[in-house]
Amino acid sequence: MPTRLFLYHTSEDPFAFPAGPGRLKLRLFVQGGQSLSCTVVHSDRYDSPGSELPQEMERVGSAGAYDIHEAVLRTGTGKCRYLFHIKNPAGEYMWYGERGISENRDQAGSFQYAYIHRPLGTILPSWSSEGIVYQIYPDSFNKGTLKGIADKIPYLQQLGVTAIYMTPIFESPSGHKYNTSDYYKVDPGFGTMEDLKGLVAEAHSHGIKVLLDAVFNHSGDTFFAFRDVLERGEASPYKDWFYIRSFPVCQTPAPNYETFAKAETTMPKLNMDHPAVADYMMEVAKYWVREAGIDGWRVDVANEVTPAFWPRFRRELKAEFPDLLLIGEIMHASGPWLRGDQFDGGMNYVLRDAVLEFFADQTAGPVRFMEQLLHQEALYNDQANSAMFQLLGSHDTLRFLTACKLGGRGWDHEATAVSRMKLAVFFQMTYIGLPMIYYGDEVGMEGATDPHCRKPMLWEAQDQNALLQDWYKLLIALRKKHEVLRKGDFRPWFTDEARNVLGYVRRTEQDKMGLIINNSPNRYQLELSNYRSDKNVLTDLVSGLTIRSAKQILVEIEPFGCLMLH
């Protein structure tokens, strides 16, 4: 066996993490292209050497240079010792443990997972697995008010939405409201506290949860504490609430204090390491749950806030409101924030990049797309993956339909834009995590980045794409009907790079569903004799067509078409 074989594992999340009572999930990266088989041998940490039980690992798929193998160990004591046995097709083998790779088992050593503690940090809200999230930019949705949003709750219910996330609604001089003036007051332009309570009550009566946007990385320059610093300078008791470089405080021609992004004068960065600031924001977070009955927080720029704050944030909120959903906005790989002690999930912009490449830009084929999916999924534990907001766009990005019209191969980019967006929505609604719809995407709204992606919602029927809207309704209904689409594992099925087609499977112990996407202008045929040995009749749930055969099943997928086989 090659002596320079690549293997990687560590007995820490996301390579080893609780998967339920007495269950430990292990993830191992092994060198790709070697057809390696992997077995994990394990026992109680205190059992004598040689008592370990072997368990074959499942090869999940390829993430490019490395393959991913997984196994779930069952342990009655929660104390686990294990190491890996790696074998190639020629029968050559090696051992891999915490001391590295060796042909000698003892020299490889063993990994230790000291104890599977009750995974309170990874218990998700009871309602989150059913989530279909709809993001609203309040200023542009309906009449620009909370009452206007409440009036459209029946529309959202008909669409199939189960949760809405609104960008900030607190008092602020801007349209976007990310420079907060008063964390305890609804912006008068949107309404009042009573209007918010009315919206939450209306949403709840239709089975819809409500999440608000928290901005704790920075305030507005009209926030009372910063105003005091502007007025009183170094004598202000709030001077340490911010990062002031010198006094007096200057805003022009450039701020002499830290801000959000690059010199955003109206957004002074908060010092969340200061106990008084942390206490203040902690009370803000509790206040709106207690008073308005909201169901969760999406936290802006969570990755720039001191890491010390988020465990407290989670601990105190979950202690009082265990069914609260906490989502962090991190626009890059967000593993460190998703280990169970901070956020339930994140805004998955990294997944969006892969979806853009494959469906909108068509600059990546199915092999790279599948590798990206597996790579990203392997960076998080299962609980975090199931709570990720899987978005195609947001208030910070260009509209997905616009991306489809700008991208694509040659002549077809305009003609097939809607078809390619439909495929992206099909993937979104059949993938793991929580699908998040940006308002108006379901009716074909277009627009480049801010401010064009924040245009008023299209409510007139003649302005809407009814076929796209019906597509959303159909896929959301299917996701709700079939538990395997909400809770099943994701596994690659096949990729056809030359024809730009891929297939994947969602599965539970009781059910299995095959999904095929033809991201090309050509018809595609596939023979399914080995898909399910227990069935010779399959139904495409999208079209409702039944496919039968005594010995083999041959399916045909339309250009830019898809199948949901069950």
Side-chain angles (χ1 to χ4, degrees):
M1 178 166 273
T3 56
R4 294 184 180 273
L5 188 70
F6 166 76
L7 298 170
Y8 186 76
H9 174 83
T10 179
S11 53
E12 300 173 0
D13 191 325
F15 291 91
F17 55 89
R23 300 170 77 233
L24 178 68
K25 186 163 186 176
L26 302 180
R27 188 173 283 148
L28 173 67
F29 290 175
V30 307
Q31 190 166 319
Q34 302 292 317
S35 300
L36 302 173
S37 62
C38 303
T39 300
V40 57
V41 294
H42 65 97
S43 68
D44 182 279
R45 291 180 62 225
Y46 294 98
D47 286 349
S48 301
S51 61
E52 296 90 351
L53 295 172
Q55 181 172 330
E56 186 177 351
M57 302 187 76
E58 177 190 9
R59 179 185 178 276
V60 174
S62 170
Y66 66 91
D67 293 346
I68 301 166
H69 291 246
E70 293 182 348
V72 177
L73 309 185
R74 296 184 181 274
T75 165
T77 66
K79 307 163 188 173
C80 201
R81 180 179 74 238
Y82 59 92
L83 73 161
F84 302 102
H85 182 259
I86 317 297
K87 187 170 69 173
N88 69 12
E92 300 169 316
Y93 66 87
M94 281 190 178
W95 295 93
Y96 176 49
E98 67 178 7
R99 293 175 62 194
I101 300 171
S102 175
E103 294 181 6
N104 182 288
R105 172 175 173 160
D106 293 336
Q107 289 179 357
S110 294
F111 289 102
Q112 305 280 338
Y113 198 89
Y115 188 78
I116 302 177
H117 295 276
R118 188 181 178 202
L120 290 176
T122 53
I123 294 176
L124 298 174
S126 59
W127 55 271
S128 66
S129 64
E130 313 296 320
I132 305 289
V133 184
Y134 190 91
Q135 183 190 350
I136 292 174
Y137 189 70
D139 197 44
S140 300
F141 189 62
N142 186 41
K143 304 174 184 176
T145 65
L146 297 177
K147 284 185 177 179
I149 296 171
D151 289 343
K152 294 299 182 179
I153 290 295
Y155 164 82
L156 296 176
Q157 183 191 42
Q158 291 169 10
L159 184 62
V161 168
T162 64
I164 58 174
Y165 144 54
M166 296 184 289
T167 54
I169 62 166
F170 308 126
E171 186 175 66
S172 163
S174 68
H176 55 70
K177 309 301 177 191
Y178 281 98
N179 51 335
T180 311
S181 299
D182 191 336
Y183 285 89
Y184 283 96
K185 184 179 179 182
V186 172
D187 191 273
F190 292 154
T192 64
M193 168 63 91
E194 292 307 309
D195 293 332
L196 176 60
K197 290 180 179 179
L199 166 58
V200 172
E202 180 70 7
H204 286 176
S205 72
H206 287 78
I208 296 175
K209 305 293 184 180
V210 179
L211 286 80
L212 297 184
D213 205 328
V215 190
F216 295 157
N217 175 68
H218 53 272
S219 71
D221 63 344
T222 52
F223 179 49
F224 83 91
F226 193 74
R227 285 204 316 268
D228 193 83
V229 176
L230 286 175
E231 293 168 6
R232 301 170 64 182
E234 200 163 6
S236 171
Y238 303 107
K239 69 180 190 312
D240 293 328
W241 281 39
F242 307 92
Y243 296 92
I244 312 297
R245 298 191 184 100
S246 61
F247 293 95
V249 177
C250 300
Q251 294 190 277
T252 57
N256 63 343
Y257 50 89
E258 286 194 36
T259 71
F260 166 66
K262 296 189 71 173
E264 292 289 344
T265 305
T266 64
M267 298 182 183
K269 183 173 175 62
L270 289 160
N271 178 10
M272 291 294 287
D273 277 317
H274 193 294
V277 184
D279 289 346
Y280 183 91
M281 293 305 172
M282 198 69 246
E283 288 307 308
V284 167
K286 294 175 183 177
Y287 173 82
W288 292 100
V289 188
R290 291 169 180 160
E291 296 299 315
I294 64 169
D295 305 286
W297 286 106
R298 177 268 195 190
V299 179
D300 186 59
V301 205
N303 51 328
E304 294 187 23
V305 175
T306 177
F309 178 68
W310 297 129
R312 176 190 177 187
F313 180 75
R314 180 185 187 89
R315 184 175 60 252
E316 293 189 20
L317 282 175
K318 293 280 190 175
E320 187 172 349
F321 316 103
D323 235 17
L324 206 67
L325 183 65
L326 303 178
I327 301 294
E329 186 215 23
I330 298 117
M331 298 182 74
H332 52 81
S334 46
W337 293 268
L338 301 177
R339 301 294 188 238
D341 61 341
Q342 300 184 46
F343 297 100
D344 294 315
M347 306 274 290
N348 203 346
Y349 282 98
V350 182
L351 175 72
R352 177 181 178 271
D353 290 341
V355 172
L356 275 172
E357 280 185 351
F358 183 57
F359 294 104
D361 301 336
Q362 291 199 318
T363 55
V367 171
R368 173 173 165 80
F369 182 58
M370 191 66 76
E371 290 175 352
Q372 288 283 294
L373 297 180
L374 295 180
H375 171 70
Q376 291 171 33
E377 186 178 341
L379 298 181
Y380 310 115
N381 63 45
D382 290 351
Q383 293 87 349
N385 275 316
S386 65
M388 294 295 278
F389 276 15
Q390 313 291 34
L391 63 152
L392 301 184
S394 75
H395 63 293
D396 286 324
T397 70
L398 82 167
R399 293 273 183 177
F400 197 83
L401 184 54
T402 299
C404 288
K405 289 190 173 183
L406 293 173
R409 295 179 178 175
W411 58 269
D412 74 347
H413 67 283
E414 280 275 0
T416 65
V418 172
S419 297
R420 286 182 285 122
M421 179 169 178
K422 287 175 67 177
L423 290 183
V425 175
F426 177 86
F427 169 75
Q428 180 190 33
M429 295 298 169
T430 58
Y431 188 54
I432 59 174
L434 306 179
M436 193 199 89
I437 305 162
Y438 184 46
Y439 81 95
D441 276 359
E442 77 278 11
V443 295
M445 283 185 65
E446 298 183 43
T449 53
D450 172 28
H452 306 289
C453 58
R454 304 177 181 182
K455 295 176 183 176
M457 173 68 175
L458 299 178
W459 289 115
E460 298 299 324
Q462 66 268 21
D463 299 325
Q464 298 180 336
N465 186 320
L467 292 177
L468 188 57
Q469 187 178 40
D470 289 342
W471 183 248
Y472 270 91
K473 289 180 179 178
L474 170 65
L475 292 173
I476 291 171
L478 289 170
R479 184 179 179 90
K480 286 184 168 182
K481 183 177 180 180
H482 297 279
E483 183 180 57
V484 68
L485 290 177
R486 303 189 307 276
K487 299 181 180 181
D489 293 334
F490 172 88
R491 290 293 183 268
W493 179 5
F494 71 91
T495 54
D496 189 330
E497 188 74 4
R499 294 172 177 81
N500 217 35
V501 180
L502 62 83
Y504 51 96
V505 171
R506 299 296 306 277
R507 68 177 195 191
T508 62
E509 291 183 1
Q510 298 79 29
D511 201 4
K512 176 181 176 182
M513 188 175 290
L515 298 309
I516 302 174
I517 293 175
N518 178 11
N519 191 19
S520 84
N522 306 308
R523 292 179 182 275
Y524 187 82
Q525 285 191 336
L526 183 68
E527 199 271 310
L528 298 175
S529 57
N530 297 320
Y531 172 63
R532 290 192 73 155
S533 59
D534 61 327
K535 298 181 74 170
N536 61 4
V537 177
L538 291 172
T539 300
D540 171 29
L541 299 180
V542 174
S543 65
L545 294 177
T546 299
I547 307 162
R548 329 175 159 264
S549 176
K551 295 184 179 179
Q552 66 178 21
I553 298 176
L554 186 69
V555 296
E556 185 171 280
I557 304 101
E558 297 288 322
F560 295 106
C562 53
L563 293 180
M564 185 183 294
L565 300 174
H566 195 242

